[in-house]
């Protein structure tokens, strides 16, 4: 993560808090991340030194026309400072800072099949018990873990996957 992205995200969060628009901006940032990561063309446009700033700004305004005025100002500033390539990073940092300010964190749960509602609630309860903070779940599907799950919260990781158990068993047997 670049320090510049963190600085922009802090500025956006501060402005959003002043205008009581943190939730709206958080939705905008999630939309930006999903859109930029889902579009190779948009990524190329934002990173290309050949495409004029006005074209980049017009593209962002068109794609994200329903976003909050604070998000629109972020586009202006990033374009003006020739840092628009950091847009997705700024959005990710904003979400991290937003979650920290609300004592919430993202628990990434990697499973072989999608989590059902009951299991999601159990995971959230366990995360709250372990960290003392509320959490939201991001479920990543990875069939290579065979079964079980991998839970990652901040810099804590708990690996209860079948693939991990098989690897450990193999290591023990080879010793």
């Amino acid at each position: 993560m670049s320090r510049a992205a963190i600085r922009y995200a802090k500025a956006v969060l501060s402005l959003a808090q002043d205008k009581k628009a943190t939730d709206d901006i958080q939705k905008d940032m999630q939309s930006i991340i999903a859109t930029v990561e889902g579009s190779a063309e948009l990524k190329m446009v934002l990173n290309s030194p050949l495409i004029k700033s006005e074209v980049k700004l017009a593209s962002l305004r068109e794609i994200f026309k329903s976003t909050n005025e604070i998000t629109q100002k972020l586009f202006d500033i990033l374009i003006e400072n020739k840092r628009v390539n950091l847009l997705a990073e700024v959005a990710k940092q904003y979400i991290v800072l937003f979650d920290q300010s609300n004592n919430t964190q993202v628990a990434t749960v990697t499973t072989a099949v999608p989590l059902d509602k009951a299991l999601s609630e159990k995971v959230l309860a366990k995360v709250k018990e372990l960290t003392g903070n509320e959490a939201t779940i991001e479920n990543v599907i990875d069939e290579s873990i065979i079964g079980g799950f991998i839970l990652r919260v901040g810099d804590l990781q708990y690996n209860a996957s079948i693939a991990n158990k098989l690897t450990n068993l193999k290591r023990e047997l080879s010793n």
Side-chain angles (χ1 to χ4, degrees):
M1 275 300 148
S2 80
R3 285 200 294 253
I6 294 168
R7 283 197 300 271
Y8 284 111
K10 282 181 180 174
V12 171
L13 180 63
S14 176
L15 186 58
Q17 287 168 332
D18 291 347
K19 303 262 189 205
K20 308 231 179 305
T22 52
D23 292 340
D24 289 345
I25 304 302
Q26 200 243 8
K27 288 182 184 97
D28 289 352
M29 295 301 151
Q30 287 175 326
S31 168
I32 287 168
I33 293 167
T35 307
V36 172
E37 289 184 352
S39 170
E41 294 88 11
L42 180 57
K43 242 186 250 179
M44 192 241 358
V45 167
L46 296 177
N47 290 317
S48 173
L50 302 174
I51 297 174
K52 290 189 169 134
S53 296
E54 302 82 53
V55 174
K56 291 179 184 182
L57 183 58
S59 300
L60 290 172
R61 289 207 184 289
E62 183 57 33
I63 295 167
F64 301 107
K65 59 181 165 241
S66 63
T67 56
N68 187 292
E69 69 179 279
I70 295 169
T71 305
Q72 297 288 329
K73 285 180 184 168
L74 173 65
F75 298 156
D76 294 338
I77 290 169
L78 289 175
I79 292 281
E80 191 177 305
N81 296 335
K82 301 197 179 342
R83 298 292 226 155
V84 74
N85 60 316
L86 294 177
L87 181 60
E89 266 189 77
V90 172
K92 287 177 188 170
Q93 282 306 311
Y94 177 89
I95 289 173
V96 169
L97 295 169
F98 174 82
D99 287 345
Q100 285 172 351
S101 73
N102 290 322
N103 287 330
T104 304
Q105 52 199 61
V106 176
T108 305
V109 182
T110 306
T111 54
V113 295
L115 283 177
D116 63 3
K117 190 168 173 56
L119 208 49
S120 292
E121 288 169 4
K122 284 181 185 174
V123 170
L124 286 173
K126 192 67 177 169
V127 169
K128 183 166 174 129
E129 179 187 314
L130 292 170
T131 65
N133 291 336
E134 293 294 326
T136 55
I137 285 190
E138 180 182 319
N139 187 199
V140 177
I141 310 300
D142 179 1
E143 293 171 2
S144 72
I145 71 168
I146 303 169
F149 64 93
I150 302 170
L151 173 64
R152 190 173 293 117
V153 182
D155 43 3
L156 299 172
Q157 178 172 313
Y158 179 70
N159 191 336
S161 67
I162 303 295
N164 184 51
K165 289 178 180 169
L166 289 171
T167 304
N168 290 341
L169 185 62
K170 184 177 172 185
R171 195 175 308 126
E172 282 177 31
L173 292 173
S174 66
N175 289 341

